[in-house]
């Protein structure tokens, strides 16, 4: 059982409503409306491949927002690992909203389970090291909060949620702002006391400078494994180290073994394949 | 050069605005705001792997909506195939909006290019057959119109955009509505003369019935290649045939070779990996 | 009793909320707020002239969205024909939301009943022929889905819901796109397999061409009755024929008698007078 | 030339955007997109029957919001009377947005011209009397501001825009609030000094009471012509009189001749037939 | 106990939702989500200084919109005067939504109580005179309806809610429109019979003109007390007089003693300090 | 000249649009529309009391969004101190939108200048100490980003923008979550590496614990000056100290003199009086 609380419905219901309207269009579900009058049905949502569950409250919202009388009973918990064929939820209620909301619910569920599953695999791969797996801002436009929640369910950590909840000085900034020292000093004068400062570096020399400036974290961009090991040695106890850039599920364990604190993976959110989920009228 | 017109900005600008606000949050781009005052810059968007271009007007909108003085010049056309390292667009203008809109623009662009690229590969795989590659309704909630546009740029065709622009009688409907004949008759009485009717079947016997009823198309769900071949023989000249269900890039050519008219692939939109695109200040 | 399911509230509640806010303004119902404190009342909605009922769920939503404790009990069904003086619904609950939502509820109800009634009259006029009465896209901005639903309740059929759920090649297109044959071929290459193609023609010669091209339907624009009869003879068994343009309730029977399959009437939605409905506190 | 200023675009552009999206749906203008690439065209909007012009800025907005490069040149002014065949506006620009926005623009224009035309007829009918023609709150949900503007262009006056910009004590209120005197006193204590108070009466006796209470106006509900004449005699110089309820274009002159100050007509907005307008590519 | 009905939730829930989303951001309540799982709590909202209560239904909505299972029980009524330490409301329910909505609820409540309290003080100061205290349009953008409701709870009256529910001819208008007589005549021709007309004057001479023109009210801008007294003498029985401009709580009694009918105070809404309210878990 | 960049218009234009619509209502500016046709005017915005400028881009947006042809020229910079009578901006353009947007523009400007002015006074009061003045989350619902920007222009720093960009463990949390040590440990496991952790304490003993746990900051709630001095001595070099709770402009210097790093003041945003600004047609 996961103890990670889901986002409040208030924060995602507008998104689900837009998705339902996107699928219903102006004329609604032509097929169901023509064929099925007032039938009540039972149905279940099953997963067809192994994975980590994420998104059941969002899927439930899709049915509830179309018709509040649809009963949605989750059969697993968010954050659980499930085998192929597992029933994730049971539905009972009028056939019309259940069939009309089906695709919208599954589109959310498949995507969020996909992200949680991908994250869980990366987390499993680094088990035994101190490295935390983190996601990035490379998320689906409009779905960031939900996708970052799926990452948490996968056992991963969240990096910044946006440009406004942390400072990350990148190469483009340095090119325009001059020296690292000047940049860090300037940022400190400007941001409030609750904002952390991370610096992206592409050499050990830059790492040394950053550590000396007392920043909160350093992002090691596209460092090889040997370089990462050296970075860890250099920075130990001085600054948190994040490895990033082109790290795959295959080499994440090796990267973690270098001793970095955080490994951030863009593909958790931008390229994780959807998990195969389906609704079956029973 | 592609002649497929992009959606009108009116239909996706609200989406881009929401995505920008999602990334800017309440406090905006803390890093850029602290470091970079009134600098003007030039930048370019480059692609780091081979693929099919889709989404440049959407990326352009991200910059324009933040600051109308940013000049965005596309260097390739929508629907082109590009090599790694290709410059997709050049930007010129104030550094602040360019850096602040960067991630939003790239998140749209990477996803749409990813879908167009996956589609183009599937289309290439079936070249020489009469089969058209089509997408499904398994799209990202809220992004359907853009994702279906990316499919068109990839050379694919669009299946239904929603529940309301075509009838597709599926197994769940039949279970509730009784016989296929009764269902088709009932639908005909209900829908307007501009609506096509497709029926999902899972056996050749069902296909025979459907064809006899004069429906516009039949979806052959999870048919094996041999069965598909038999279906084509049976239905030739009578009804359009669509193959669907678990077809991968590897076996799509074999499916196409059976003579089906349409092959629909959910993964074009729900699981295509994002194309790797980046913005570089020059 | 009609078996035509109403649109899901999700698809029209935003519209009803906007209408309520439009009437309440910033200061709310000055009169009721000053005069009536906590009184509970009973009220009924009556119709003052004969007609076809449409819009009760929308009217109910107006009261419910203002105060969920208002009980709204429909006394007739959607799609019924009613005599003057018939009670359409009974309300029970706090006086304040009932009086405040009254005008909004009636404005929806009067308009939708008006459209259903006009449609029912046209449908009655063509009884005994094979012609279906259809509406057009000449609807009130923002109310299309509801108005087309009222047409269905009136016994009419729905033509396209928008520019995107069917192809209709009109004279303006042909003027710009060249020959009919070229246009149809080009459209076929572009649109998906679930899209029907209709062509507007203004002569029998054009009808012949269109039928030969195998399009799904032909719109005969402003044809006289004799010409329509000839068109039916020409096209029989080859293509669906739609008569359109300036057809009134007076001459619709004559048009139907020609044998056309569909008669589309813009005035069903753009000029049907509202049915006279009122709310009475009892 | 009319000197009645149109509403600010800020107040109706959201409405026009929703109408455009309603017509474009998810897939956009299938026909135009398939047939017409980059053609520039000239077009004109013509009116096919005599009427009063209203809504040109709204129609212009439909084209502008889809593509700001479309040039829209009004050929008549708001509030003018035009003969059948008159060109209301000329358009020049890319064919695609002009054809895609056509129906939306015409739907607004036809309705608003229809209301202005109906109003102008009623105003003409009462010429030579002191009666002003006024509209009611029986407007299309969401379009009230535009429809009341059309009434002004027709030469009519606007009654309340909503429940919040004036007090109108009706029979339902009196039934719940007790005596007229008590109701008026109570309202006076509650509302601000900028709010007028009108009372609906259904007898001369009630009129006497209302006049004695010093209210600003009295609505004479469903009074016959003789009764109205008597009411005018009674109330002269004491209170403004409004006649309302079932007054048609045929009998409005007779009502005006009684000397009432205002005649309010619900059908100006809820049942005025649309004026026939069309767009022609030239 | 106050009998002033609160605005319908429909008119302010969108505002409360936006405020909740503003505080929750994308990641939600990091602190509570990490620390508190499924605990149920009791809490109370207390006021720490003396004042007039306003906004309890809005505060309740903040909790309800986040989680409908939170029980909110008001312990005082809107419009009551309370002593420091008074419990305004008790809450019972899951800890998570209660803590997450706390700040939003208090921000509304503190502001509305602050306005009601300031108004009540001004009203108390003029007791014994005929002067009513009124607010202006100098309100917080987006909160006007709620702030004007708080003024009513404070015993004050509402001036115009906007530019559209009354005519107020100010100096800027006169400078552009010519003579007062011409302006008033022109306005009368244009606005409906339910609209009052007020004129801003800055001299007794102008007051004389305005009164002679029969306007409904005159705003005496920045008149000294002696001048106001003279104005009252001049206008008695002819026109309603409103004093405005730089009147403080200290001198409001003196102004009221002159006999003006209305005293409008911008600071009731633009500068009233928030009342100190807090939530305590019990 | 201030180098603090204003928020992007994209983030506040919806707010300004809502404010304009709130003031215009359904009928628009009745007075101006009746009196002033096509006049062009010049006008200026003046400040009538000394203060710090904030909000000119927002005021400019109010005019621009109503009519893009209005020229708005700022005569001072954001963050400047101005004397009474200073012209803040000059406007030139059609009279109608200038008069119609006046109140909305001034309502934003007066409030934001008020906050910046209050902040600047507090900042001036602590000059010579190391203390930074910070705002809180006690902001106007919906205006947080703008109000925090005004604080920055006043020379203050921003505390958290919401519940999601920093952890602040308060007494309510501790009561529910058990020991401070357990709470801090639990939070560390949950939040990402870019999130700072602050703890609210109400005794020196709690401060010692918090400092020992290595949190980023400690909020000293309602500490007296002597206690604060002791806290500074205890915590020096170990943790950042924030004083909060009931600190006024009068005693802020004394608090700052204790050596705390941050002083947070709720009244900067919830109770700062608006600055008196006006628009004059010239």
């Amino acid at each position: 059982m996961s103890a990670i609380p889901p986002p409040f419905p208030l924060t995602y219901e507008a998104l689900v409503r837009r998705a339902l309207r996107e699928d219903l269009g102006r004329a609604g579900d032509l097929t169901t409306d023509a064929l099925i009058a007032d039938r009540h049905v039972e149905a279940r949502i099953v997963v067809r491949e192994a994975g980590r569950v994420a998104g059941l409250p969002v899927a439930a919202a899709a049915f509830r927002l179309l018709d509040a009388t649809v009963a949605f009973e989750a059969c697993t918990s968010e954050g659980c690992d499930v085998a192929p064929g597992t029933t994730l939820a049971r539905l009972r209620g009028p056939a019309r909203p259940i069939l009309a909301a089906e695709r919208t619910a599954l589109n959310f569920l498949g995507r969020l389970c996909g992200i949680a599953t991908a994250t869980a695999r990366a987390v499993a791969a680094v088990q035994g090291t101190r490295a935390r797996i983190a996601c990035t801002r490379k998320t689906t436009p409009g779905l960031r909060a939900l996708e970052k929640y799926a990452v948490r369910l996968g056992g991963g950590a969240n990096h910044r949620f946006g440009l406004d909840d942390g400072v990350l000085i990148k190469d483009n900034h340095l090119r325009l702002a001059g020296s690292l020292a000047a940049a860090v000093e300037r940022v400190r004068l400007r941001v409030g006391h609750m904002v952390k400062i991370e610096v992206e570096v592409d050499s050990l020399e830059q790492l040394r400078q950053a550590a000396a400036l007392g920043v909160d974290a350093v992002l090691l961009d596209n460092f090889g494994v040997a370089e990462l090991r050296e970075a860890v040695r250099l920075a130990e106890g001085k600054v948190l180290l994040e490895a990033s850039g082109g790290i795959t599920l295959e080499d994440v364990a090796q990267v973690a073994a270098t001793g970095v604190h955080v490994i951030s993976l863009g593909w958790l959110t931008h390229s994780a394949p959807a998990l195969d989920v389906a609704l079956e009228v029973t």
Side-chain angles (χ1 to χ4, degrees), chain A residues 120-202:
Chain A
R121 280 177 196 152
V123 169
V126 303
Q127 213 177 357
T129 72
R130 70 175 177 191
R132 294 174 85 180
I133 296 298
C135 55
T136 66
R137 284 167 44 244
K138 296 181 178 177
T139 54
T140 309
L143 299 187
R144 187 169 288 168
L146 289 179
E147 294 187 343
K148 295 220 164 206
Y149 161 64
V151 166
R152 294 199 295 280
L153 289 173
N158 293 148
H159 209 298
R160 294 192 298 169
F161 272 73
L163 293 161
D164 66 328
D165 60 345
V167 165
L168 178 47
I169 305 174
K170 305 180 91 168
D171 52 352
N172 279 340
H173 296 111
L174 285 182
R175 207 164 312 163
L176 296 167
S179 81
L180 185 56
V184 170
E185 187 191 0
R186 198 174 156 89
V187 163
R188 281 210 175 106
L189 282 172
R190 283 303 187 79
V191 300
H193 71 277
M194 291 299 281
V195 177
K196 285 204 175 174
I197 300 173
E198 180 166 11
V199 176
E200 178 184 308
V201 305
D202 48 25

Side-chain angles (χ1 to χ4, degrees), chain A residues 34-164:
Chain A
L35 292 178
I36 294 149
D38 287 338
R39 288 287 303 272
H40 270 243
V41 293
E42 304 201 356
R44 55 190 200 116
I45 296 178
V46 291
V47 61
R48 291 174 171 160
E49 46 180 332
R52 173 77 53 102
V53 178
L56 288 173
V58 186
F63 297 101
R64 182 183 69 237
L65 291 170
L66 212 46
D67 186 335
T69 71
V70 174
F72 181 101
E73 182 202 350
C75 303
T76 56
S77 295
E78 293 280 281
C80 285
D81 287 311
V82 288
T86 304
T87 295
L88 300 184
R90 292 188 184 285
L91 294 127
R92 188 174 306 114
R96 200 181 165 225
I98 289 176
L99 293 178
E102 168 188 345
R103 177 56 29 225
T104 299
L106 297 180
N107 283 350
F108 275 107
L109 193 60
R111 169 171 305 268
L112 296 177
C113 288
I115 290 172
T117 301
T119 307
R121 280 177 196 152
V123 169
V126 303
Q127 213 177 357
T129 72
R130 70 175 177 191
R132 294 174 85 180
I133 296 298
C135 55
T136 66
R137 284 167 44 244
K138 296 181 178 177
T139 54
T140 309
L143 299 187
R144 187 169 288 168
L146 289 179
E147 294 187 343
K148 295 220 164 206
Y149 161 64
V151 166
R152 294 199 295 280
L153 289 173
N158 293 148
H159 209 298
R160 294 192 298 169
F161 272 73
L163 293 161
D164 66 328

